[in-house]
Structures are given as C-alpha cells and as structure tokens.
Amino acid sequence: MSSEQWTNVPENGSEEIPSFQGSEKAKASDFANYFCSYAQLYHQKQMLADHNRMAAYHSAIMGNSAIFKDKVVMDVGTGSGILAVWAAQAGARRVYAIEYTDMAKHAKSVMEANGVADIVTVIQSAVEDVEIPPDDFPGEDSTKECVDIIISEWMGYFLLRESMVDSLIRARDKFLRKSTGIMYPTHATMYLAPITDEEERKISMNEYNGAMGDWHDFVETTKGSYGVDMSVLHTHFEREQREYYLLSSRWAEFKPCAVLATAQVIKTMDMHTCTLADCRGISLGDPGSDFDFEIATESNWDAEGPVSGFAGWFTVDFKTRDDDEGKDVAPKIHHPVHLTTGPEGGYTHWGQQTFHLPSCIPLINGETTRLKGSLELKRTKENVRLYNCRIAYQASRRKNSEPQDGALLMKGDIVELVYQIP
C-alpha cells in the first residue's frame, strides 16, 4: 500500500461500525464479513480451546467472586455463553448475555444445561440496540447505568482489529454504573518489538517472486498464443502481489528468543475512561507512537538475528480501578489477573502480528543497531473493522563502546512501509 493510499483512510469522525446507526445494507455486509463466523461452533471452539485465554477469564471471575456476589452483569458478545455461566456461578443475581448472531440459541441451551437459566437472560441483538426491561428493576427511575460489571472478550488481532471495542464503550456509557462499575478486563496494553523471523520472511519473498514469475509467463503466453498484450496491467498486478505477500501482517507464534529487544508500549487503554476516538487507532504524536530500539551484539550473544521485522501483541489486565472517578469507591479486585498474547506467555489464538521488512537488517558483533521510528494504526476505508499499519524507521549502527549520541558507522535512509492487517 502506498503512502497516498494511506491518506485516503477516513478520519475518525467517519469510522463508525455498522452496528451503530448503520443502514440495513451496511449491517448486512457487516454480518457477512464479520459476525457470521461467530455463529459457527467451530469458531467458538477455537476460542474455547485457548487455555491461556480461558484460564485468565476463569481466574478473574471465579477468583474474585466477591465482586460478583448479588451484582448485575452484562456479557457483551457472549458467544456460546461461558463467561455468563461463570458470572452466574460466581454469585451474580442477574446476567444479561448479549449475542448478535444465532449463536444466542446455543447460548440459551448452555444456560439451561448448566442450571443458570434463571439468572442469565440471553438477548439476541446488537448491544447498541439493547434496552433493559424496566420491570427488571422495579423502583428505579431508569435502567440506564444499572449494570455493575461488564465482561467481554472483545480483543482482536493486535488488540484493535475487528473494532468490537466500539460496541463495548457504547454499552459502558449506557449501562455501567459510573463510579462503582467494573469493566472486565479493566485495562489493555499494546506492544511492539523487533524480531528475527528469516525463514518466514524469505518464504513470503519467494512466494511473491514466484507470483511475479507466473505473471511474466502468463503475459508472454497470452501475447504469443492469442495476440493480446497484457503487459499494460503489470504495475497493478505487481502492487496486488506486493500488498498480499510482502505488506500484509502475518499471524505468528514466536519463542521469546526471537524478540531482539525489550518490547515497547505503544498504546494503553483504561477501559473505564477510554473514548471512541482513543480506540480507533494510533496517530503520530500519541503517547507510545514513537519507538526507539537498540540491539547490542556481543561475542557471547545468543540471539539468532538478523532483524526480520517487527511484531505486535497485547496484554489485558483484570485489576482494581485506578481512574480518578472509581479508584476510591469501586470494589477492589483482590486477586488481579494478567493475560498476555506475547511470546513469553505461550500459545493464544491471537498470537502475534508480524510486519516483515522487505530485506533483513544484519546484526554485527561488537556493534549496536538502533531502530528509531514511529507507528500509526488506522481503520481501512473499505472496512472499518480492519486496520492498516504504517511503520516508519531509520536504522543506524555504532560501536558498542560509543554512547547513543556518539559516532555512527552507518545511518540509513528513512524507510516507510504501510501494511494491511487482514
């Protein structure tokens, strides 16, 4: 993707997901492109078989049952309903399990099979359209801000992909008690690090070269056999293949040794206070949008090298509120839980997103390689649930004995790459 195409991505004000005031056509397209896969049990099973994910949510709920006791809980995007079941088992007096797809029918069966159907109400709807019946809260003036805890597994690849967080924020602003309510998870953090991944990088490059070789044969054959010159389309075909093979992020499951420098935080989100604008990406100048990595190699250095690209991942936490409005009055979470999708945490279905470089950056013994640059993340113009990522960096090298601002052995040009996160 070119820099010019990047500028065509709409500004934040036009990045609404279709489930919020979208046309019927937009909602139908959104269902076909996004929601429909979540209506399949095989997809639900993939997430339920992610034991790091499951253990984190289970520990966060059942290990902190005191905050669920006699509370009203909303599970946004309940799927097959397991989080709602746990909330009921932890002592909630009422649970609203919201599910847009027909998976809601299976969720109702799960509630009945696990003896919590009298506590859990499954509502098939987009959460933006949900209205809590006033009869559920007799004696109260309104059913707004009637929920004590909102639980959800809303995170996508590299945290923000799928843009489900929009729905979560709208549910929070409509239903959650402002000072005492709890979002579960409570916080989210995004990370970036340089990685070595030469085998996969070369596979992508070879596949790209193979596709271009096939195109050359196709052009020659079509002209020689049928008298039509297709070479006029070469530039467009090359761009398609480059974007697909070289400028699309890849799912990966790295070992810690593949990470070449300490990961840097590129975005943090407090789920009690973050806004819709906060959750729509990363812009230049945002806290964390600039990165600065240094990789010093020594004779006893055991990392593999070279630099093949960057990898991004996220963590979420279930911990006591620390925002000004809630830190003194919201219930305390005495057994905090941390879930990481980074290489140090083992397998999760999210894995890490890899952004391979067109060519590797060698690491030379006795020298420090510095990668200084910035990262931006924006929703695509074609589908606001998907993202493009622009990484700009400059590589330099110096002797290990030199200070950071000391004499350089090499300073490269600024490289700017725009990736699709498919």
Side-chain angles (χ1 to χ4, degrees), residues 255-337:
K255 294 181 178 179
C257 62
V259 180
L260 299 174
T262 301
Q264 294 185 13
V265 173
I266 57 173
K267 190 176 185 67
T268 60
M269 292 164 52
D270 183 331
M271 302 312 300
H272 303 94
T273 60
C274 61
T275 66
L276 287 168
D278 293 335
C279 298
R280 285 176 174 164
I282 300 173
S283 299
L284 284 181
D286 286 354
S289 61
D290 293 332
F291 59 79
D292 194 348
F293 297 108
E294 293 210 332
I295 310 166
T297 58
E298 304 285 355
S299 58
N300 60 351
W301 196 60
D302 59 359
E304 297 176 8
V307 180
S308 305
F310 299 91
W313 61 87
F314 67 89
T315 65
V316 295
D317 288 280
F318 305 79
K319 60 185 182 181
T320 299
R321 284 182 65 165
D322 54 11
D323 61 292
D324 290 340
E325 186 171 10
K327 63 183 180 181
D328 296 325
V329 291
K332 305 301 180 186
I333 297 174
H334 294 292
H335 302 285
V337 173

Coordinates of all heavy atoms in Angstrom, one line a residue, residues 255-337:
K255 N 8.9 -17.7 19.8 CA 9.5 -18.0 21.1 C 10.2 -16.8 21.6 O 10.5 -15.9 20.8 CB 10.5 -19.2 20.9 CG 9.9 -20.5 20.5 CD 11.0 -21.6 20.4 CE 10.3 -22.9 20.0 NZ 11.3 -24.0 19.8
P256 N 10.4 -16.6 22.9 CA 11.0 -15.4 23.4 C 12.3 -15.1 22.8 O 12.6 -13.9 22.7 CB 11.1 -15.7 24.9 CG 10.0 -16.7 25.2 CD 9.9 -17.5 24.0
C257 N 13.1 -16.1 22.4 CA 14.4 -15.8 21.8 C 14.3 -15.1 20.5 O 15.4 -14.5 20.0 CB 15.2 -17.1 21.7 SG 14.5 -18.3 20.6
A258 N 13.2 -15.0 19.8 CA 13.0 -14.3 18.6 C 12.9 -12.8 18.7 O 13.1 -12.1 17.8 CB 11.8 -14.9 17.8
V259 N 12.6 -12.4 20.0 CA 12.5 -11.0 20.3 C 13.9 -10.4 20.5 O 14.6 -10.9 21.4 CB 11.5 -10.8 21.5 CG1 11.4 -9.3 21.7 CG2 10.2 -11.4 21.2
L260 N 14.2 -9.4 19.8 CA 15.6 -8.9 19.8 C 15.9 -7.7 20.7 O 17.0 -7.4 21.0 CB 16.0 -8.5 18.3 CG 16.0 -9.6 17.3 CD1 16.2 -9.0 15.9 CD2 17.0 -10.7 17.7
A261 N 14.8 -7.1 21.2 CA 15.0 -6.0 22.2 C 13.7 -6.0 23.0 O 12.7 -6.6 22.7 CB 15.1 -4.7 21.4
T262 N 13.8 -5.3 24.2 CA 12.7 -5.2 25.1 C 11.5 -4.5 24.4 O 11.7 -3.5 23.8 CB 13.1 -4.4 26.3 OG1 14.1 -5.1 27.0 CG2 11.9 -4.3 27.3
A263 N 10.4 -5.2 24.4 CA 9.2 -4.6 23.8 C 8.8 -3.3 24.4 O 9.0 -3.1 25.6 CB 8.0 -5.6 23.9
Q264 N 8.3 -2.4 23.5 CA 7.9 -1.1 24.0 C 6.4 -0.9 23.9 O 5.8 -1.4 23.0 CB 8.6 0.0 23.1 CG 10.1 0.1 23.3 CD 10.7 1.2 22.5 OE1 10.0 2.1 22.1 NE2 12.0 1.2 22.4
V265 N 5.9 -0.2 24.9 CA 4.4 0.0 25.0 C 4.1 1.1 23.9 O 4.7 2.1 23.9 CB 4.0 0.5 26.4 CG1 2.5 0.9 26.3 CG2 4.2 -0.6 27.4
I266 N 3.1 0.8 23.0 CA 2.7 1.7 22.0 C 1.3 2.3 22.3 O 1.0 3.3 21.6 CB 2.8 1.1 20.6 CG1 2.0 -0.1 20.5 CG2 4.3 0.8 20.3 CD1 1.9 -0.7 19.1
K267 N 0.6 1.7 23.1 CA -0.8 2.2 23.5 C -1.3 1.5 24.8 O -1.1 0.3 25.0 CB -1.8 1.9 22.4 CG -3.1 2.7 22.5 CD -4.0 2.5 21.4 CE -5.3 3.3 21.5 NZ -5.0 4.7 21.4
T268 N -1.9 2.3 25.6 CA -2.5 1.8 26.8 C -4.0 2.3 26.8 O -4.3 3.4 26.3 CB -1.9 2.3 28.1 OG1 -1.9 3.7 28.2 CG2 -0.4 1.8 28.2
M269 N -4.9 1.4 27.3 CA -6.3 1.8 27.4 C -6.8 1.4 28.8 O -6.7 0.3 29.2 CB -7.1 1.0 26.3 CG -6.7 1.5 24.9 SD -7.3 0.4 23.6 CE -9.0 0.2 24.0
D270 N -7.4 2.4 29.5 CA -8.2 2.1 30.7 C -9.6 2.0 30.2 O -10.2 2.9 29.7 CB -8.0 3.3 31.6 CG -8.8 3.1 32.9 OD1 -9.8 2.4 33.0 OD2 -8.3 3.6 34.0
M271 N -10.2 0.8 30.4 CA -11.5 0.5 29.8 C -12.6 1.3 30.5 O -13.7 1.3 30.0 CB -11.7 -1.0 29.8 CG -10.7 -1.8 29.1 SD -10.3 -1.2 27.4 CE -11.9 -1.3 26.6
H272 N -12.3 1.9 31.6 CA -13.4 2.7 32.3 C -13.4 4.1 31.7 O -14.4 4.8 31.9 CB -13.1 2.7 33.8 CG -13.1 1.4 34.4 ND1 -11.9 0.7 34.6 CD2 -14.0 0.6 34.8 CE1 -12.1 -0.5 35.1 NE2 -13.4 -0.6 35.3
T273 N -12.3 4.6 31.1 CA -12.3 6.0 30.7 C -12.0 6.2 29.2 O -12.1 7.3 28.8 CB -11.2 6.7 31.5 OG1 -9.9 6.1 31.3 CG2 -11.5 6.7 33.0
C274 N -11.5 5.2 28.5 CA -11.2 5.4 27.1 C -12.4 5.8 26.3 O -13.5 5.4 26.6 CB -10.5 4.2 26.5 SG -11.5 2.7 26.5
T275 N -12.1 6.6 25.3 CA -13.2 7.1 24.4 C -13.2 6.4 23.1 O -12.3 5.6 22.8 CB -13.0 8.6 24.1 OG1 -11.8 8.8 23.4 CG2 -12.9 9.4 25.5
L276 N -14.2 6.6 22.3 CA -14.3 6.0 21.0 C -13.1 6.4 20.1 O -12.5 5.7 19.4 CB -15.6 6.4 20.3 CG -16.8 5.7 20.8 CD1 -18.1 6.4 20.2 CD2 -16.8 4.2 20.5
A277 N -12.7 7.7 20.2 CA -11.6 8.2 19.5 C -10.3 7.5 19.9 O -9.4 7.2 19.1 CB -11.4 9.7 19.7
D278 N -10.1 7.3 21.2 CA -9.0 6.6 21.7 C -8.8 5.2 21.1 O -7.7 4.7 20.9 CB -9.0 6.4 23.3 CG -9.0 7.7 24.0 OD1 -8.4 8.7 23.5 OD2 -9.5 7.8 25.2
C279 N -9.9 4.6 20.8 CA -9.9 3.2 20.5 C -9.8 2.9 19.0 O -9.9 1.8 18.5 CB -11.1 2.5 21.0 SG -11.1 2.5 22.8
R280 N -9.7 4.0 18.2 CA -9.8 3.9 16.8 C -8.4 3.8 16.1 O -8.3 3.8 14.9 CB -10.6 5.0 16.2 CG -12.1 4.7 16.4 CD -13.0 5.8 16.0 NE -14.4 5.4 16.2 CZ -15.4 6.2 16.2 NH1 -15.2 7.5 16.0 NH2 -16.6 5.8 16.3
G281 N -7.4 3.7 16.9 CA -6.1 3.5 16.3 C -5.0 4.3 17.0 O -5.1 4.6 18.2
I282 N -3.9 4.5 16.4 CA -2.7 5.2 16.9 C -2.3 6.2 15.9 O -2.1 5.9 14.7 CB -1.5 4.2 17.2 CG1 -1.9 3.2 18.2 CG2 -0.3 5.0 17.7 CD1 -0.9 2.1 18.4
S283 N -2.2 7.5 16.3 CA -1.8 8.6 15.4 C -0.4 9.1 15.8 O 0.0 8.9 17.0 CB -2.8 9.7 15.5 OG -4.1 9.3 15.1
L284 N 0.2 9.7 14.9 CA 1.5 10.3 15.2 C 1.3 11.3 16.3 O 0.4 12.1 16.3 CB 2.1 11.0 13.9 CG 2.7 10.1 12.8 CD1 3.2 11.0 11.7 CD2 3.8 9.3 13.4
G285 N 2.2 11.3 17.2 CA 2.2 12.2 18.4 C 1.4 11.6 19.6 O 1.5 12.1 20.7
D286 N 0.7 10.5 19.4 CA 0.1 9.8 20.5 C 1.2 9.2 21.4 O 2.2 8.9 21.0 CB -0.8 8.7 20.1 CG -2.1 9.1 19.4 OD1 -2.4 10.4 19.5 OD2 -2.9 8.3 18.9
P287 N 0.9 9.2 22.7 CA 1.9 8.5 23.6 C 2.2 7.1 23.1 O 1.3 6.3 22.9 CB 1.1 8.5 25.0 CG 0.2 9.6 24.9 CD -0.3 9.7 23.5
G288 N 3.4 6.8 23.0 CA 3.8 5.5 22.5 C 4.0 5.3 21.0 O 4.5 4.3 20.6
S289 N 3.5 6.3 20.2 CA 3.6 6.1 18.8 C 5.0 6.1 18.3 O 5.3 5.6 17.2 CB 2.8 7.2 18.1 OG 3.3 8.5 18.4
D290 N 6.0 6.8 19.0 CA 7.4 6.7 18.6 C 8.1 5.6 19.3 O 7.8 5.3 20.5 CB 8.1 8.0 19.0 CG 7.5 9.2 18.2 OD1 7.1 9.0 17.1 OD2 7.5 10.4 18.7
F291 N 9.0 4.9 18.6 CA 9.7 3.8 19.2 C 11.2 4.0 19.0 O 11.6 4.7 18.1 CB 9.3 2.4 18.7 CG 9.4 2.3 17.2 CD1 10.7 2.0 16.6 CD2 8.3 2.4 16.4 CE1 10.8 1.8 15.2 CE2 8.4 2.2 15.0 CZ 9.7 1.9 14.4
D292 N 12.0 3.4 19.9 CA 13.5 3.5 19.8 C 14.1 2.2 20.4 O 14.1 2.0 21.6 CB 13.9 4.7 20.6 CG 15.4 5.1 20.3 OD1 16.1 4.3 19.6 OD2 15.8 6.2 20.7
F293 N 14.5 1.3 19.5 CA 15.1 0.1 19.9 C 16.6 0.0 19.7 O 17.1 0.5 18.6 CB 14.4 -1.1 19.1 CG 13.0 -1.2 19.3 CD1 12.1 -0.9 18.3 CD2 12.4 -1.7 20.5 CE1 10.7 -1.0 18.5 CE2 11.1 -1.9 20.7 CZ 10.2 -1.5 19.7
E294 N 17.3 -0.6 20.6 CA 18.7 -0.7 20.5 C 19.0 -2.2 20.7 O 18.6 -2.8 21.7 CB 19.5 0.1 21.5 CG 19.3 1.6 21.2 CD 20.6 2.4 21.6 OE1 21.2 2.0 22.5 OE2 20.8 3.5 21.0
I295 N 19.8 -2.8 19.8 CA 20.2 -4.2 19.8 C 21.7 -4.2 19.8 O 22.4 -4.0 18.8 CB 19.7 -5.0 18.6 CG1 18.2 -4.7 18.5 CG2 20.0 -6.4 18.8 CD1 17.6 -5.2 17.2
A296 N 22.3 -4.5 21.0 CA 23.8 -4.5 21.1 C 24.2 -6.0 21.0 O 23.8 -6.8 21.8 CB 24.2 -3.9 22.4
T297 N 25.1 -6.3 20.1 CA 25.6 -7.7 19.9 C 27.0 -7.8 20.5 O 27.9 -7.0 20.3 CB 25.6 -8.1 18.5 OG1 26.5 -7.2 17.7 CG2 24.2 -8.0 17.9
E298 N 27.2 -8.9 21.3 CA 28.5 -9.2 21.9 C 28.9 -10.6 21.4 O 28.1 -11.3 20.8 CB 28.3 -9.2 23.4 CG 27.7 -7.9 24.0 CD 28.8 -6.8 24.0 OE1 29.9 -7.1 23.7 OE2 28.4 -5.7 24.4
S299 N 30.1 -10.9 21.7 CA 30.7 -12.2 21.3 C 29.9 -13.4 21.9 O 29.9 -14.5 21.3 CB 32.2 -12.3 21.6 OG 32.4 -12.2 23.0
N300 N 29.3 -13.2 23.1 CA 28.6 -14.3 23.7 C 27.1 -14.1 23.5 O 26.3 -14.7 24.2 CB 28.9 -14.3 25.2 CG 28.5 -13.0 25.9 OD1 28.2 -12.0 25.3 ND2 28.6 -13.0 27.2
W301 N 26.7 -13.3 22.5 CA 25.3 -13.0 22.3 C 24.6 -14.3 21.7 O 25.1 -14.9 20.8 CB 25.2 -11.9 21.3 CG 23.8 -11.2 21.2 CD1 23.1 -10.6 22.2 CD2 23.1 -11.1 20.0 NE1 22.0 -10.1 21.7 CE2 21.9 -10.4 20.4 CE3 23.2 -11.5 18.7 CZ2 20.9 -10.1 19.5 CZ3 22.2 -11.2 17.8 CH2 21.1 -10.5 18.2
D302 N 23.5 -14.6 22.3 CA 22.9 -15.9 21.9 C 21.6 -15.7 21.1 O 21.0 -16.7 20.7 CB 22.6 -16.8 23.1 CG 21.7 -16.1 24.1 OD1 21.2 -15.0 23.8 OD2 21.3 -16.7 25.1
A303 N 21.2 -14.5 20.8 CA 20.0 -14.3 19.9 C 20.4 -14.7 18.5 O 21.6 -14.7 18.1 CB 19.5 -12.9 20.0
E304 N 19.4 -15.0 17.7 CA 19.7 -15.5 16.3 C 20.0 -14.4 15.3 O 21.0 -14.5 14.6 CB 18.4 -16.3 15.8 CG 18.1 -17.5 16.7 CD 16.9 -18.2 16.2 OE1 16.3 -17.9 15.2 OE2 16.4 -19.2 16.9
G305 N 19.2 -13.3 15.3 CA 19.4 -12.3 14.3 C 19.2 -12.9 12.9 O 19.1 -14.1 12.7
P306 N 19.2 -12.1 11.9 CA 19.1 -10.6 11.9 C 17.8 -10.1 12.2 O 16.9 -10.8 12.5 CB 19.5 -10.3 10.4 CG 18.9 -11.4 9.6 CD 19.1 -12.7 10.5
V307 N 17.6 -8.8 12.0 CA 16.3 -8.2 12.2 C 15.4 -8.5 10.9 O 15.8 -8.1 9.8 CB 16.3 -6.6 12.4 CG1 14.9 -6.1 12.6 CG2 17.2 -6.3 13.6
S308 N 14.3 -9.2 11.1 CA 13.5 -9.6 10.0 C 12.2 -8.7 9.9 O 11.6 -8.6 8.9 CB 13.0 -11.0 10.2 OG 14.1 -11.9 10.3
G309 N 11.9 -7.9 11.0 CA 10.8 -7.1 11.0 C 10.4 -6.7 12.4 O 11.2 -6.8 13.4
F310 N 9.1 -6.4 12.6 CA 8.6 -6.0 13.9 C 7.4 -7.0 14.2 O 6.7 -7.5 13.3 CB 8.1 -4.6 13.9 CG 9.2 -3.6 13.7 CD1 9.5 -3.1 12.4 CD2 9.9 -3.0 14.7 CE1 10.5 -2.2 12.1 CE2 10.9 -2.1 14.5 CZ 11.2 -1.7 13.2
A311 N 7.1 -7.1 15.5 CA 6.0 -7.9 15.9 C 5.2 -7.1 16.9 O 5.8 -6.4 17.7 CB 6.4 -9.3 16.5
G312 N 3.9 -7.2 16.8 CA 3.0 -6.6 17.8 C 2.1 -7.5 18.5 O 1.7 -8.5 17.9
W313 N 1.8 -7.2 19.8 CA 0.9 -8.1 20.6 C 0.3 -7.2 21.7 O 0.5 -6.0 21.7 CB 1.6 -9.3 21.1 CG 2.7 -9.0 22.1 CD1 2.7 -8.8 23.4 CD2 4.1 -8.9 21.7 NE1 3.9 -8.6 24.0 CE2 4.8 -8.7 22.9 CE3 4.9 -9.1 20.6 CZ2 6.2 -8.5 23.0 CZ3 6.2 -8.9 20.6 CH2 6.9 -8.7 21.8
F314 N -0.5 -7.8 22.5 CA -1.2 -7.1 23.6 C -1.3 -7.9 24.9 O -1.1 -9.1 24.9 CB -2.6 -6.6 23.1 CG -3.6 -7.7 22.9 CD1 -4.3 -8.2 24.0 CD2 -3.7 -8.3 21.7 CE1 -5.3 -9.2 23.8 CE2 -4.6 -9.3 21.5 CZ -5.4 -9.8 22.5
T315 N -1.6 -7.2 25.9 CA -1.9 -7.8 27.2 C -3.2 -7.1 27.7 O -3.6 -6.0 27.3 CB -0.9 -7.6 28.3 OG1 -0.7 -6.2 28.6 CG2 0.5 -8.1 27.8
V316 N -4.0 -7.9 28.5 CA -5.1 -7.3 29.2 C -5.0 -7.6 30.7 O -4.4 -8.7 31.1 CB -6.5 -7.7 28.7 CG1 -6.7 -7.2 27.3 CG2 -6.6 -9.2 28.8
D317 N -5.5 -6.8 31.5 CA -5.5 -7.0 33.0 C -6.8 -6.9 33.6 O -7.7 -6.1 33.1 CB -4.5 -5.9 33.6 CG -3.1 -6.1 33.3 OD1 -2.5 -7.0 34.0 OD2 -2.5 -5.5 32.4
F318 N -7.0 -7.6 34.6 CA -8.2 -7.6 35.5 C -7.7 -7.1 36.9 O -7.2 -7.9 37.6 CB -8.9 -9.0 35.6 CG -9.2 -9.6 34.2 CD1 -8.2 -10.2 33.5 CD2 -10.5 -9.6 33.8 CE1 -8.5 -10.8 32.3 CE2 -10.8 -10.2 32.5 CZ -9.8 -10.8 31.8
K319 N -7.9 -5.9 37.1 CA -7.3 -5.3 38.4 C -8.2 -4.2 38.9 O -9.1 -3.7 38.2 CB -5.9 -4.9 38.2 CG -5.7 -3.8 37.2 CD -4.2 -3.5 37.0 CE -4.0 -2.4 36.0 NZ -2.5 -2.1 35.8
T320 N -7.9 -3.7 40.1 CA -8.7 -2.6 40.7 C -8.7 -1.4 39.8 O -7.6 -1.0 39.3 CB -8.2 -2.3 42.1 OG1 -8.3 -3.5 42.9 CG2 -9.0 -1.2 42.8
R321 N -9.8 -0.7 39.8 CA -9.9 0.6 39.1 C -8.9 1.6 39.7 O -8.7 1.7 40.9 CB -11.3 1.2 39.1 CG -12.3 0.5 38.2 CD -13.7 1.2 38.3 NE -13.7 2.6 37.8 CZ -14.8 3.2 37.5 NH1 -16.0 2.7 37.6 NH2 -14.7 4.5 37.0
D322 N -8.2 2.3 38.8 CA -7.2 3.3 39.2 C -7.5 4.7 38.6 O -6.7 5.6 38.8 CB -5.8 2.9 38.9 CG -5.6 2.6 37.5 OD1 -6.5 2.9 36.7 OD2 -4.5 2.0 37.2
D323 N -8.7 4.8 38.0 CA -9.1 6.2 37.5 C -9.6 7.0 38.6 O -10.0 6.5 39.7 CB -10.1 6.0 36.4 CG -11.4 5.4 36.8 OD1 -11.3 4.1 37.2 OD2 -12.4 6.0 36.9
D324 N -9.6 8.3 38.4 CA -10.0 9.3 39.5 C -11.4 9.0 40.0 O -11.7 9.1 41.2 CB -9.8 10.7 39.0 CG -8.4 11.1 38.8 OD1 -7.5 10.5 39.4 OD2 -8.1 12.1 38.0
E325 N -12.3 8.7 39.1 CA -13.7 8.6 39.5 C -14.0 7.3 40.2 O -14.8 7.3 41.2 CB -14.6 8.6 38.2 CG -16.1 8.6 38.6 CD -17.0 8.9 37.4 OE1 -16.5 8.9 36.3 OE2 -18.2 9.1 37.6
G326 N -13.3 6.2 39.9 CA -13.6 5.0 40.5 C -12.6 4.4 41.5 O -13.0 3.5 42.3
K327 N -11.4 5.0 41.6 CA -10.4 4.3 42.4 C -10.7 4.2 43.9 O -10.2 3.3 44.6 CB -9.0 5.0 42.2 CG -9.0 6.5 42.7 CD -7.7 7.1 42.4 CE -7.6 8.5 42.8 NZ -6.3 9.1 42.5
D328 N -11.5 5.1 44.4 CA -11.8 5.1 45.9 C -13.1 4.5 46.2 O -13.4 4.2 47.4 CB -11.8 6.6 46.4 CG -10.4 7.2 46.3 OD1 -9.4 6.5 46.5 OD2 -10.3 8.4 46.0
V329 N -14.0 4.3 45.2 CA -15.3 3.8 45.5 C -15.7 2.4 44.8 O -16.6 1.7 45.3 CB -16.4 4.8 45.1 CG1 -16.3 6.1 46.0 CG2 -16.2 5.3 43.7
A330 N -15.0 2.1 43.7 CA -15.3 0.8 43.1 C -14.8 -0.3 43.9 O -13.8 -0.2 44.6 CB -14.7 0.8 41.7
P331 N -15.4 -1.5 43.8 CA -15.0 -2.7 44.6 C -13.5 -3.0 44.2 O -13.1 -2.9 43.0 CB -15.9 -3.8 44.1 CG -17.2 -3.1 43.6 CD -16.7 -1.8 43.1
K332 N -12.8 -3.5 45.2 CA -11.4 -3.8 45.0 C -11.3 -5.2 44.4 O -12.0 -6.2 44.9 CB -10.6 -3.7 46.3 CG -10.7 -2.4 47.0 CD -10.2 -1.2 46.1 CE -10.3 0.1 46.8 NZ -9.9 1.2 45.9
I333 N -10.4 -5.4 43.5 CA -10.1 -6.7 42.9 C -8.9 -7.3 43.6 O -7.7 -6.9 43.4 CB -9.9 -6.7 41.4 CG1 -11.2 -6.2 40.7 CG2 -9.5 -8.0 40.8 CD1 -11.1 -5.9 39.2
H334 N -9.1 -8.2 44.6 CA -8.0 -8.6 45.4 C -7.1 -9.7 44.8 O -6.0 -10.0 45.3 CB -8.6 -9.2 46.7 CG -9.3 -8.1 47.6 ND1 -8.6 -7.1 48.2 CD2 -10.6 -7.9 47.9 CE1 -9.4 -6.3 48.8 NE2 -10.7 -6.8 48.6
H335 N -7.6 -10.3 43.7 CA -6.8 -11.3 43.0 C -6.7 -10.9 41.5 O -7.4 -11.5 40.7 CB -7.4 -12.7 43.2 CG -7.6 -13.1 44.6 ND1 -6.5 -13.5 45.4 CD2 -8.7 -13.1 45.4 CE1 -6.9 -13.8 46.6 NE2 -8.2 -13.5 46.7
P336 N -5.8 -9.9 41.2 CA -5.7 -9.5 39.8 C -5.2 -10.6 38.9 O -4.4 -11.5 39.4 CB -4.7 -8.3 39.9 CG -3.9 -8.5 41.2 CD -4.9 -9.2 42.1
V337 N -5.5 -10.5 37.7 CA -5.1 -11.5 36.7 C -4.6 -10.7 35.5 O -5.1 -9.7 35.0 CB -6.3 -12.4 36.2 CG1 -6.0 -13.3 35.1 CG2 -6.8 -13.2 37.4

